[in-house]
Amino acid sequence: MKTASLIFLAGSLLAVALPASAQERVWRCGNEYTNNSTIAQQKGCKVMEGGNVTVVQGSGVPAPAKSSGGGGGSSAARAPAGSPRVEGVDQRARDGEARSVLEAELKKAEARQAELQKEYNNGEPEKQGSEGRNYQKYLDRVAGMKAELARNESDIAGIRRELGRLPAKQQ
């Protein structure tokens, strides 16, 4: 038992000592960070204390390509450079399938909304079971119904927005 605690103690001391010796000082110069002390002194940077800084080198964002005009006003988003190209027919089929799924979801959500509104009865639903004796239980259920109506209404608005983003239905 003593050996296990000694090994644990030695390991803990080593774990505390190693990161401190392996870590370099990092200076902050405005929005830039450096571990070069001469640059830091020249720019008057401040030493960063109490945390690690991870710097990820990134590439600049390319400027959007300018259109030559007369393109019909289409504002379709471009696919990333390495992505496979989808033919127009396939894309129209995908859009049609997405539209039909969204329309089915919209019908279902609208039917649910009508059912919820009928049950809610303008904020005065029928009391159930013990709610006649426990008015707070009734109020809690009414508040839950109101919240569910609002959530469902928000869902309907979201589905309609998604439908609006799809291209017009092809006949």
Side-chain angles (χ1 to χ4, degrees):
M1 187 70 163
K2 275 189 172 182
T3 16
S5 61
L6 282 176
I7 291 173
F8 177 73
L9 180 63
S12 298
L13 288 174
L14 232 117
V16 170
L18 280 179
S21 64
Q23 195 172 22
E24 295 180 43
R25 283 194 164 177
V26 176
W27 288 269
R28 181 176 182 184
C29 310
N31 289 333
E32 295 180 17
Y33 298 89
T34 183
N35 59 354
N36 188 330
S37 61
T38 56
I39 293 174
Q41 289 174 349
Q42 289 172 354
K43 291 184 175 183
C45 303
K46 296 181 181 179
V47 176
M48 293 293 297
E49 299 286 336
N52 296 331
V53 176
T54 303
V55 177
V56 179
Q57 294 294 331
S59 61
V61 178
K66 303 222 177 191
S67 64
S68 59
S74 175
S75 62
R78 299 247 177 218
S83 64
R85 179 94 172 121
V86 178
E87 295 300 319
V89 176
D90 293 338
Q91 188 61 50
R92 280 192 291 277
R94 287 180 186 180
D95 290 343
E97 187 176 327
R99 179 172 292 282
S100 64
V101 168
L102 285 170
E103 285 172 346
E105 286 294 318
L106 181 61
K107 283 182 185 178
K108 193 186 314 180
E110 286 173 337
R112 176 75 176 140
Q113 186 75 359
E115 178 183 314
L116 287 171
Q117 285 175 337
K118 182 179 177 186
E119 186 180 332
Y120 184 64
N121 193 23
N122 292 325
E124 297 178 4
E126 293 183 24
K127 292 183 179 176
Q128 299 176 343
S130 65
E131 290 176 349
R133 294 184 304 271
N134 188 347
Y135 189 65
Q136 186 60 47
K137 196 173 187 181
Y138 173 76
L139 291 176
D140 291 344
R141 185 171 67 91
V142 171
M145 293 171 80
K146 186 175 182 179
E148 191 173 355
L149 270 165
R151 273 192 306 271
N152 198 57
E153 194 171 310
S154 175
D155 290 347
I156 289 171
I159 294 170
R160 286 187 176 143
R161 272 193 309 276
E162 288 299 316
L163 278 169
R165 289 181 185 146
L166 289 176
K169 200 173 194 178
Q170 299 293 323
Q171 303 250 343

